Amino acid sequence: MIRDHDGGDDAVAAPEATATVIRDHGSRRRRLGRLLAWTGAAVVSLALVAGGGAVALLALDRAYPPRTVPAAPASTIVVDHAGRLLTAYTTADGRWRLPADVASVDPRYLRMLVAYEDRRFHEHAGVDPLATGRAALQAVAYGRIVSGASTLTMQTARLVEGRPERTLSRKLMESARALQLERRLSKDEILSLYLALAPYGGNLEGVRAASLAYFGREPDRLTIGQAALLVALPQSPEWRRPDRHPEAARKARDRVLDRMVGLGVLTEDEAAAGKREGVPTARLAFPRLAAHASRSAAEARPDERILRLTIDRDLQASLEALARERTAALGQKLSAAIVVMDAETGAIAARVGSPELLDDARNGHVDMSLAVRSPGSTLKPFIYALAFEAGIAHPETLIEDRPSAFGAYAPKNFDQSFMGTVTAREALRQSLNVPAVKLLEAVGPTRLAVRLADVGVELALPRPEAPTLAIGLGGVGIRLVDLTALYAAFVGGGVAPVPFEVADAPKEPARRLIDPVAAWYVADILAGTPPPANAARHRIAFKTGTSYGYRDAWAIGFDGRHVVGVWVGRPDGAAVPGLVARTAAAPLLFDAFARVSPRRAPLPRAPGGALIATTGTLPPTLVRLGGDGAAGEANTGASRLRFAYPPDGARVSLDSGGTRQPLAWRIEGAGAAVSLLVDGKPVPIPAHRRAGSLAVPQRGFVRLTVIDPTGAADSVTVFVE
C-alpha cells in the first residue's frame, strides 16, 4: 500500500479510506501510534525543510546515502528491434516488475497522477511543508488521520527501500530519504522510479505491468478511464483490484475523475466519458511473442534485464498466426517453423520455432528452427553451384537423367520416373535426383561438406562416417536457421552472412561460400521454378525438399533482400504419409513472403564473367556432362585428372625472407591439352603443361580448377598466407 488516503491540500478521507483504516488498524492503540507517527513526521519534516536539521541531514546524507535503484530486481523483458515488447518474464520471487519511465507513459496519465497525489511535486524538495503541516493540524483536531502528506518522492523512497512497515522511525526516514533523493535525481527520474515500482494488486508492480495485465496495452496511450484507474490503484492495490473487486475499482476511478474536474485537469465531458468506460474484470496474459528466440536470449544473458532482438514484432505476430492456421489445417501433431533473414546482414527479422509454445499436442516447446533434420533436396542448389564454379557444368549443360548406379547406390526420382537428357537448369528446377548425384560425384561430397563448414555450417553425420553421395538427397542433418543463411549467398554474390538475432551481439563477418557467377547461375535457375498452386509466378526464387519417409517438408525462398525458410513436420520425427514439400511447405513459404515483403525486391543482375549462352553455343567441354555416366568414369581410377599439388584445403605460405613467392601447381592424369582456371577465370598455359606457378599477391582463399576436353575436371581450394 502506497498511502493511507488521497493526497493533496484539501483531501478528506472518503468512506472507503476510513473503512480501510479500520480494517488495517482495528485497535485504538494502533491508531494512536499511527497518529503520533504522522504528527512526529510532520514536525521533523518541517524542521528539516526550515533548515533547523540541515547539518544533521547533510551528515546523514554522507554517512547513509540513499538507494537510487530499486532493492528488488526488475523483470527480464525481451523487445524487438524498435524496443516494442515481445516477451516478459516474472522475477525470481514471481513478480511482474516491468521497467517504465516518464517517456514511456501517456502524458495525460502523468498529469492526473501528479495532480492527484502531489500537486506541488515540481516545487518542493522532497517533503511538502504545507501538506505536512495541514495533515498534522487535521490529525490533532480530529483525533484521526484525515488527509495524507506523503509526497511522490516520499512514496518513491519507500518503494526503493523495499520496507513497507509504517512506524514513526520509518516515517522519519522516508522524509529524510526523500530529501536525499531530490539532491541526486531529477524530478523525471524520481517519477520513473515510482512508475516502475508502484503496486497494482497481486504480483503486479509498475504501471507498465498493470496496463498490460488489465488493458492488454502499453501505457503510452491510455483512455481517460484507464488513466484514472491506474492513478487510483496504488493507494489501495488489493482492495481495489479490478479482477477481484471491480465495483471498488470503479468507485475509486470515478473519484479520481471527479477530483480532476475540480482541479481543472479534465473537463466535465471528459470525466463523464471516462466514467462510461467499463472496468476490467479479469487479468490478461502477458505478451509471449518470439517465445523460443526470447528464451534463447534470456538463457544466454541471464544477468541482463532488457534484451533487444533484431526481430520485428508485427511480422513475428503475423507469422505465428500464419503457422497456427496452417498447421491446424494440415493435421494433428504437425508443427511448423519459419525463419526470415536479411540476406545481406544475416539479421533475423522473425523466427517461429513452433505454432504455439504451450501446445503439447504439437510439442510446441521444441524449437524446430534450431532442430537438426534431414533437408531432403534443399542442398541440391549448392551441388550445382560448386559444379558451375569448378567449370564442370553450366546451366545449359546436358545431363542424362537415366537409371544409374554409383557403386551400391542407385538413386531414383521422387516419382520413380526418368526424364532422359535434360539441361542442368531443368534438372535443378525439377529437382531430379540422378543428375544431382552425378554432379556431386564430380564435385565430391567431402568438398561440399567442407565448403559449408568453411562458412560455419556443420552438417550432422553419424559418427564416424564421412560424407557420401547420399548427402545430396538429404542423407545428412541441418538446422533451418543455418540452411536459410546458406541460401542468402545466392542473393549476396556468393557470400553467406552469419545469422544473428540479439541486436547488440558481436557481428561475425560474412564468408564467401561460392563465387559470384555460380551464385547468380543458381539464383537465375531457381527464379524460374514453377510456384505452387494459386501462387504468383516469378514472385520469388525458391527450392523445396522432402526428406526420406515423409518426415520433413522444406521450402526456402528469396528475393533481392530477404530469405525465408520454412519447415513442416512432426517434432518427434515420425513419418507423415502424404507430407510433400510442394503442397505442405511451399504454400506456407509464399504466404509468409507476402507478409514479409509485399513488393518483390529484384534479384541481383548477372555479374561480370557470367556466360549467357544456349547449349549449342557452349564451349565443347561444357556441352555435355561426360556423356552417359562418363563424368564419374573420367574421375575414377589411377588415371583420373587431379591436382597432385597443392592438396585441397591446404594452407600455403608464400612469404620467404620478405619475398613473395609464386604458388606452385602440378596435375596428374591428363592425356591432352587442359584448361586452368583460377577463381573461375581462365589462365593461359602452354599446351600439355602439367606443372607451373602462379603469382598470388593477396592473402586469402584461392581456388584452382583444371578441365580436359572430355569434361573431366578437378578443383582444389587452398588458403594462401
Side-chain angles (χ1 to χ4, degrees):
M1 182 183 295
I2 288 292
R3 308 178 55 188
D4 300 302
H5 307 283
D6 297 343
D9 291 344
D10 54 355
V12 177
E16 177 193 343
T18 304
T20 302
V21 171
I22 293 174
R23 283 192 296 266
D24 293 343
H25 313 286
S27 71
R28 182 179 184 85
R29 182 176 181 180
R30 292 176 63 187
R31 290 200 303 273
L32 179 60
R34 288 180 55 79
L35 176 62
L36 292 174
W38 276 93
T39 306
V43 173
V44 173
S45 298
L46 287 171
L48 290 173
V49 175
V55 175
L57 179 61
L58 182 61
L60 175 68
D61 188 65
R62 292 178 177 176
Y64 302 100
R67 289 182 181 272
T68 55
V69 295
S75 295
T76 296
I77 65 170
V78 183
V79 300
D80 79 343
H81 69 99
R84 298 174 297 182
L85 184 65
L86 292 170
T87 297
Y89 300 96
T90 59
T91 62
D93 58 352
R95 316 292 290 181
W96 292 105
R97 193 178 292 125
L98 276 60
D101 56 33
V102 168
S104 65
V105 300
D106 193 321
R108 182 166 53 188
Y109 160 75
L110 283 180
R111 291 195 298 271
M112 294 170 66
L113 173 68
V114 172
Y116 194 77
E117 290 281 2
D118 189 356
R119 290 166 54 191
R120 284 178 289 276
F121 173 70
H122 292 286
E123 286 76 44
H124 63 65
V127 176
D128 186 348
L130 295 179
T132 303
R134 180 208 64 225
L137 292 176
Q138 289 177 338
V140 172
Y142 289 93
R144 60 183 176 85
I145 300 171
V146 175
S147 63
S150 288
T151 64
L152 279 171
T153 310
M154 293 170 64
Q155 296 177 48
T156 301
R158 186 190 318 151
L159 293 169
V160 171
E161 292 287 333
R163 297 175 181 176
E165 64 267 21
R166 303 298 296 265
T167 62
L168 174 60
S169 61
R170 288 306 310 160
K171 197 67 182 179
L172 296 176
M173 182 59 72
E174 282 175 21
S175 300
R177 288 303 199 198
L179 296 173
Q180 289 180 297
L181 285 179
E182 292 275 355
R183 293 186 67 243
R184 286 170 168 78
L185 303 177
S186 68
K187 291 291 186 179
D188 279 356
E189 289 173 329
I190 292 170
L191 263 182
S192 294
L193 279 173
Y194 175 90
L195 296 174
L197 298 174
Y200 286 87
N203 62 348
L204 299 176
E205 294 186 6
V207 68
R208 190 177 187 185
S211 184
L212 289 167
Y214 293 135
F215 312 132
R217 65 193 304 176
E218 293 280 1
D220 55 345
R221 296 186 67 181
L222 299 168
T223 67
I224 292 175
Q226 290 170 346
L229 181 59
L230 292 178
V231 169
L233 287 180
Q235 298 175 31
S236 186
E238 293 305 322
W239 288 106
R240 297 177 180 177
R241 279 182 60 172
D243 58 327
R244 293 188 177 179
H245 308 288
E247 184 60 23
R250 185 189 62 78
K251 291 179 179 179
R253 179 201 66 184
D254 292 351
R255 282 197 298 274
V256 171
L257 292 171
D258 290 338
R259 181 78 175 279
M260 292 303 101
V261 173
L263 294 174
V265 177
L266 296 176
T267 67
E268 291 186 0
D269 288 343
E270 288 175 326
K275 291 180 180 180
R276 287 194 295 269
E277 294 180 25
V279 171
T281 57
R283 279 176 47 167
L284 304 174
F286 278 81
R288 195 171 58 239
L289 289 171
H292 296 96
S294 297
R295 182 176 62 190
S296 296
E299 290 175 350
R301 299 185 173 192
D303 296 329
E304 295 189 22
R305 293 292 166 260
I306 302 178
L307 298 162
R308 186 184 296 270
L309 304 184
T310 58
I311 284 173
D312 180 274
R313 185 186 68 179
D314 294 340
L315 177 61
Q316 180 74 28
S318 178
L319 294 183
E320 288 185 12
L322 177 63
R324 286 193 296 270
E325 174 189 332
R326 286 307 179 89
T327 52
L330 287 172
Q332 295 181 347
K333 299 186 178 180
L334 280 171
S335 185
I338 306 172
V339 173
V340 179
M341 188 178 299
D342 185 291
E344 180 181 359
T345 66
I348 294 175
R351 180 159 75 86
V352 180
S354 69
E356 172 55 54
L357 181 71
L358 302 181
D359 189 342
D360 292 335
R362 302 179 192 275
N363 290 308
H365 62 283
V366 179
D367 186 353
M368 296 310 300
S369 68
L370 300 181
V372 176
R373 304 296 289 243
S374 167
S377 297
T378 56
L379 290 182
K380 286 179 181 176
F382 303 100
I383 298 172
Y384 282 78
L386 291 180
F388 296 154
E389 178 186 84
I392 296 172
H394 178 274
E396 306 308 324
T397 295
L398 298 176
I399 306 178
E400 296 299 320
D401 179 36
R402 303 181 187 278
S404 303
F406 302 84
Y409 185 46
K412 298 179 181 179
N413 290 322
F414 185 79
D415 61 2
Q416 304 296 311
S417 66
F418 296 92
M419 297 186 64
T421 303
V422 294
T423 64
R425 180 185 301 275
E426 191 65 18
L428 180 53
R429 283 181 180 171
Q430 297 295 330
S431 196
L432 302 178
N433 288 341
V434 173
V437 175
K438 286 185 176 181
L439 286 174
L440 182 57
E441 184 184 46
V443 169
T446 299
R447 182 171 300 169
L448 173 62
V450 170
R451 188 66 69 89
L452 299 183
D454 285 343
V455 296
V457 178
E458 296 285 348
L459 298 178
L461 289 163
R463 295 181 181 274
E465 292 186 16
T468 66
L469 294 177
I471 71 172
L473 305 184
V476 71
I478 194 171
R479 306 188 309 170
L480 176 62
V481 68
D482 292 330
L483 189 58
T484 305
L486 290 176
Y487 270 74
F490 299 131
V491 184
V495 174
V498 178
F500 70 98
E501 63 189 4
V502 178
D504 62 350
K507 309 301 185 297
E508 296 185 44
R511 306 168 191 175
R512 179 160 295 283
L513 175 62
I514 46 180
D515 71 25
V517 172
W520 182 80
Y521 283 157
V522 172
D524 185 59
I525 291 172
L526 296 182
T529 302
N534 301 320
R537 192 173 181 85
H538 303 302
R539 176 74 177 84
I540 57 174
F542 77 104
K543 181 73 181 75
T544 60
T546 304
S547 69
Y548 177 78
Y550 303 100
R551 289 174 170 82
D552 308 273
W554 304 73
I556 317 292
F558 55 90
D559 63 4
R561 181 181 177 187
H562 294 102
V563 186
V564 178
V566 168
W567 171 91
V568 177
R570 284 183 53 160
D572 59 6
V576 184
L579 182 71
V580 178
R582 187 162 185 82
T583 57
L588 179 55
L589 169 68
F590 273 72
D591 282 349
F593 229 111
R595 303 183 184 206
V596 171
S597 178
R599 295 184 179 180
R600 179 181 184 270
L603 291 169
R605 296 181 177 179
L611 177 59
I612 311 299
T614 63
T615 302
T617 59
L618 286 175
T621 56
L622 290 176
V623 171
R624 184 178 294 273
L625 182 66
D628 189 8
E633 295 167 5
N635 286 281
T636 58
S639 63
R640 82 172 181 87
L641 178 64
R642 69 182 185 88
F643 275 97
Y645 185 86
D648 189 33
R651 300 178 73 93
V652 182
S653 177
L654 299 183
D655 291 326
S656 177
T659 303
R660 187 74 171 174
Q661 302 296 320
L663 174 65
W665 59 270
R666 183 165 61 87
I667 59 175
E668 295 177 348
V674 296
S675 299
L676 181 67
L677 294 83
V678 178
D679 291 332
K681 298 179 180 179
V683 175
I685 59 173
H688 305 291
R689 174 65 64 87
R690 299 294 177 266
S693 60
L694 301 165
V696 183
Q698 296 181 340
R699 182 176 182 271
F701 286 100
V702 176
R703 187 182 66 264
L704 306 179
T705 304
V706 61
I707 309 173
D708 72 10
T710 69
D714 189 35
S715 291
V716 295
T717 300
V718 298
F719 188 85
V720 174
E721 299 179 335

